[in-house]
Amino acid sequence: IGRLNGKTGKSYRLPTEAEWEYAARSGGKKEKYAGGDDLDRVAWYGSNSGNKTHPVGTKAPNGLGLSDMSGNVWEWCQDWYGEKFYGESPRDNPRGPSSGQYRLLRGGSWYDIPEYVRAAYRVRYLPAFRDNSNGFRLSLSAP
């Protein structure tokens, strides 16, 4: 991300967990998966992926035009993991802890069960963890 910012002069970053979920839920709607409640229409997951990732945008986008926020690959978030994040955070645009051991991933992947690709599901991993089911989505900060 640092190299991209250096080359473009822009300010790309990982989304916060709250930003990720807001975007996945089409701007805050009560959707089970990113794009609605029909999982096969919006996500590549264990039952339909053929055990591999797929090109971005081959499933229906959500209400904001974003594809693959449920399934395909887990997406890293900027925030550190907080066990009680939702119960202890302010309602509007909360930020995760300023430090920690684990980072958050959201969205589920091509090998997961439907529960894991829900818009609300969250997992934590050490920042150095690498796997072919993990990826990222960039946010562009306003100038």
Side-chain angles (χ1 to χ4, degrees):
I1 296 173
R3 285 191 308 227
L4 177 63
N5 288 342
K7 285 183 177 185
T8 64
K10 296 184 178 182
S11 184
Y12 291 99
R13 60 179 174 78
L14 294 174
T16 66
E17 182 178 19
E19 290 169 336
W20 188 96
E21 188 164 342
Y22 183 82
R25 291 181 185 266
S26 301
K29 296 178 183 174
K30 294 195 180 295
E31 298 177 337
K32 187 171 186 176
Y33 307 106
D37 295 336
D38 183 352
L39 182 56
D40 285 315
R41 188 176 77 76
V42 298
W44 294 110
Y45 67 107
S47 294
N48 70 358
S49 69
N51 295 318
K52 62 182 181 179
T53 59
H54 291 267
V56 173
T58 54
K59 289 288 185 177
N62 71 6
L64 297 177
L66 301 170
S67 298
D68 301 301
M69 292 197 76
S70 285
N72 215 20
V73 295
W74 286 99
E75 297 182 4
W76 289 100
C77 291
Q78 177 179 305
D79 298 2
W80 291 100
Y81 177 77
E83 183 73 35
K84 299 176 184 177
F85 174 75
Y86 283 102
E88 298 174 349
S89 296
R91 184 183 181 317
D92 294 333
N93 203 20
R95 300 283 181 195
S98 58
S99 63
Q101 181 177 9
Y102 300 101
R103 292 272 187 190
L104 282 155
L105 291 102
R106 299 294 299 266
S109 78
W110 55 267
Y111 72 81
D112 285 311
I113 62 174
E115 177 184 355
Y116 296 173
V117 297
R118 291 180 304 119
Y121 199 82
R122 55 200 301 254
V123 297
R124 65 183 187 196
Y125 283 107
L126 293 170
F129 178 75
R130 300 293 182 263
D131 187 86
N132 67 355
S133 66
N134 295 347
F136 59 92
R137 178 178 305 266
L138 295 179
S139 294
L140 177 60
S141 295

